[in-house]
Amino acid sequence: MKQQQEEEEVTTILITGAAGQIAYSLIPMIGSGMMLGPNRKVKLHLLEIPQAFDALKGVCMEIEDSAYPLIKEVIPTTDLKEAFSEIDICLMLGSFPRKDGMQRRDLLEKNADIYKTQGEALEKYAKKSVKVLVIGNPANTNCLIAKTYAPSIPSMNFTALTRLDHNRACCQIAKKLGIDVTDVHNVVIWGNHSTTQVPDVSNGYVSISGEKKLITDVINDEAYIKKEFFTTVSTRGEHVISLRKQNSATSAAKAVVDHMKDWILGTKEEDWVSMAIPSDGSYNIKEGLIFSFPVICKDGKISIVQDLPISSWIKEKLEITEKELLEEKSMVFPKQQQ
């Protein structure tokens, strides 16, 4: 009976920037049940700018031709009301790309207009229970903007993607130790989704031959942790771009799926993941900033893992990434007191 009820439910998902690379990888994952499970049917609202609408129509043709049993309906649109009306999940992929010679302030200002408009659309048309994930960069501050302009939606319903960085960190540890990535647990990405992010394994562990062992004990190489590992994870996106001449796409789509699956269906017992969420002051991070923390999810709610021991070296790095986020906030909300 429970399975029959689940099969009858339809979740409405909005994807912005839906003709882009990430969406092209993400939609098949959603259609295959990777995000919400093998029985949950979905209705897709796909939003694009008018210049990309023909490309979006081509994407829709491919969705039809793939004959996904879980995709009940697809609505391609350039209209904000049609896109945001009565949605359950909002995946915000669309953002203004950084161009040659563009300063960070210019990029932030361009995206501030986009996310102000879409935040207002969330406020006006979406369900108040909508779960929002911002992927378009600069993701943390774009999320803050959208949240600011949708005040009637609970703050904790707004998140930004740092799961890609989290997955990258797990993979690097697995490669270093020659183990499966599923045997790496409780790494953390703190802060901003930028090169100031703080990959942290100091409270993580690995499962080797059925035994839990601290990552730092098994690797036993502080120089590797502080230099090679830290730099590899925090600059991985730039390295991908340098090789394929385009942003990460499939890995980003998989991270979106992982993020939403854990948020909606719950994290594994005793495991935490990384999500950028509104700070409540935990770990002395300025309240209200969209900051990546270690979190657990249960019954659709996100909770920050509290009281983890933090080394002085990690604390210094947290101050740097927090400062960057405060600077970004001041650029898009110059009149607000920091």
Side-chain angles (χ1 to χ4, degrees):
M1 183 69 181
K2 185 178 179 182
Q3 181 173 331
Q4 183 180 356
Q5 183 180 9
E6 185 180 2
E7 287 175 349
E8 292 170 352
E9 292 179 5
V10 177
T11 298
T12 302
I13 302 171
L14 167 61
I15 301 174
T16 75
Q21 281 196 92
I22 298 175
Y24 197 74
S25 293
L26 174 61
I27 291 167
M29 296 181 190
I30 294 172
S32 300
M34 288 176 62
M35 191 168 84
L36 299 178
N39 300 313
R40 180 62 62 91
K41 293 188 181 296
V42 298
K43 177 181 178 181
L44 299 180
H45 290 194
L46 304 180
L47 178 66
E48 258 301 352
I49 58 176
Q51 300 93 309
F53 194 65
D54 279 348
L56 181 59
K57 288 191 284 188
V59 171
C60 292
M61 290 172 66
E62 290 209 66
I63 295 171
E64 290 176 355
D65 296 345
S66 297
Y68 294 108
L70 295 179
I71 297 181
K72 189 174 180 67
E73 186 178 359
V74 180
I75 299 177
T77 185
T78 61
D79 180 73
L80 290 175
K81 181 178 180 180
E82 187 174 34
F84 282 85
S85 289
E86 294 300 304
I87 55 172
D88 299 295
I89 294 171
C90 181
L91 305 177
M92 305 182 86
L93 302 177
S95 63
F96 191 90
R98 189 165 194 163
K99 297 183 178 180
D100 288 344
M102 197 178 225
Q103 299 300 313
R104 187 167 58 137
R105 180 183 294 274
D106 300 328
L107 182 67
L108 284 162
E109 288 176 353
K110 286 283 189 182
N111 281 292
D113 291 338
I114 295 170
Y115 280 84
K116 175 180 182 291
T117 300
Q118 294 187 355
E120 290 170 341
L122 279 166
E123 174 73 8
K124 193 170 183 180
Y125 304 119
K127 293 179 181 178
K128 300 310 176 188
S129 58
V130 64
K131 287 178 166 57
V132 180
L133 172 58
V134 176
I135 303 98
N137 287 315
N140 296 54
T141 298
N142 286 344
C143 182
L144 177 63
I145 296 164
K147 180 179 80 70
T148 300
Y149 288 97
S152 68
I153 296 172
S155 290
M156 288 302 289
N157 285 27
F158 286 86
T159 65
L161 188 73
T162 54
R163 185 56 175 268
L164 177 53
D165 309 301
H166 182 100
N167 288 350
R168 287 166 171 165
C170 290
C171 183
Q172 290 304 310
I173 296 301
K175 285 177 64 179
K176 176 73 172 175
L177 297 176
I179 61 177
D180 289 343
V181 72
T182 53
D183 291 325
V184 181
H185 304 269
N186 294 358
V187 303
V188 184
I189 303 297
W190 303 91
N192 200 4
H193 175 62
S194 74
T195 56
T196 70
Q197 66 179 258
V198 186
D200 178 15
V201 298
S202 57
N203 294 288
Y205 70 92
V206 292
S207 299
I208 299 178
S209 300
E211 185 179 350
K212 291 183 180 180
K213 297 182 179 181
L214 289 174
I215 292 171
T216 50
D217 287 347
V218 178
I219 291 180
N220 194 27
D221 186 345
E222 187 175 357
Y224 166 79
I225 295 294
K226 289 185 174 181
K227 293 180 181 178
E228 184 179 340
F229 167 76
F230 194 93
T231 302
T232 298
V233 175
S234 61
T235 63
R236 185 75 163 184
E238 293 179 356
H239 195 194
V240 170
I241 291 171
S242 72
L243 293 172
R244 70 184 297 263
K245 312 306 177 189
Q246 298 182 79
N247 284 309
S248 303
T250 298
S251 57
K254 172 60 164 50
V256 170
V257 166
D258 291 343
H259 178 113
M260 294 308 303
K261 180 180 180 181
D262 284 338
W263 189 357
I264 293 169
L265 302 181
T267 47
K268 295 177 182 177
E269 191 173 354
E270 298 185 0
D271 273 12
W272 62 68
V273 295
S274 303
M275 293 183 180
I277 61 174
S279 172
D280 61 0
S282 294
Y283 298 97
N284 296 315
I285 299 303
K286 179 75 172 179
E287 191 170 347
L289 283 182
I290 306 297
F291 196 93
S292 186
F293 291 98
V295 303
I296 57 173
C297 304
K298 186 175 181 180
D299 299 327
K301 299 186 183 302
I302 303 169
S303 302
I304 297 172
V305 178
Q306 297 292 336
D307 302 321
L308 293 179
I310 305 293
S311 70
S312 58
W313 187 77
I314 291 292
K315 282 182 181 177
E316 290 176 7
K317 299 295 185 184
L318 293 187
E319 289 173 3
I320 293 169
T321 195
E322 181 186 27
K323 181 182 178 184
E324 181 180 58
L325 284 167
L326 287 167
E327 289 172 352
E328 290 184 7
K329 181 183 177 183
S330 71
M331 290 178 193
V332 296
F333 299 112
K335 295 181 181 179
Q336 287 190 12
Q337 185 176 359
Q338 301 301 309

